Amino acid sequence: MTSALDRIIDLLSPDTSRLLAATMDGELAGWLNVRRDPFKLISHWGTVHHVQTRTAIRGRGVGRAFMKEVRRAAKEEMSVEQLHVAVRSDAGLEDFYGRLGWKEGRRWPGALRLAAGDDRDEILMILAPL
């Protein structure tokens, strides 16, 4: 069976996607994927996927550095004008992204089920202009 990372790598294309990785002290600290759809009507925006940082290093600036770099790469390398990311509520993520200039665009109440009786909102955050 192919891993999730292998599937993402297979979809990489210089025109439409980037896989960003961060290291700290010689170890993988986190990674994310940003994609731009080639369909003309929406090719001016990109979507950030799979934002992951190691739990042990959170609070040390890796997430902030990721968001700075994804913004730069999307604008300068991919000609993207705005970015979207979907986050789950009650994890402090809307505050994190908000401090970096992202705005809440839409919320789907109860869209994510983490466990029985633990439904969370999915929040679409938007960063525009880059």
Side-chain angles (χ1 to χ4, degrees):
M1 183 185 309
T2 305
S3 73
L5 186 55
D6 289 336
R7 289 190 302 273
I8 291 167
I9 290 170
D10 288 344
L11 294 173
L12 291 176
S13 167
D15 294 334
T16 59
S17 61
R18 297 289 184 281
L19 179 65
L20 304 179
T23 59
M24 184 175 278
D25 302 324
E27 293 186 24
L28 183 65
W31 65 284
L32 65 78
N33 178 239
V34 60
R35 291 182 285 212
R36 177 182 57 80
D37 195 303
F39 185 60
K40 188 175 179 176
L41 290 175
I42 59 172
S43 65
H44 64 287
W45 57 268
T47 305
V48 180
H49 299 273
H50 309 291
V51 180
Q52 310 266 331
T53 57
R54 280 193 13 238
T55 307
I57 55 98
R58 288 194 182 143
R60 295 178 57 189
V62 173
R64 179 178 289 277
F66 261 146
M67 292 302 105
K68 183 178 180 181
E69 178 58 16
V70 76
R71 184 179 194 164
R72 185 207 62 77
K75 181 177 181 178
E76 295 176 13
E77 298 175 16
M78 300 171 66
S79 301
V80 168
E81 298 171 22
Q82 60 180 273
L83 288 171
H84 302 177
V85 67
V87 302
R88 72 173 182 259
S89 64
D90 301 325
L93 296 170
E94 55 272 64
D95 293 336
F96 168 76
Y97 285 101
R99 287 190 302 273
L100 300 175
W102 294 71
K103 305 287 184 220
E104 183 175 324
R106 186 168 180 111
R107 182 179 290 251
W108 289 274
L112 305 172
R113 179 159 292 158
L114 279 76
D118 187 6
D119 293 348
R120 309 280 178 95
D121 296 352
E122 182 174 51
I123 305 163
L124 177 64
M125 305 288 294
I126 300 167
L127 181 64
L130 299 183

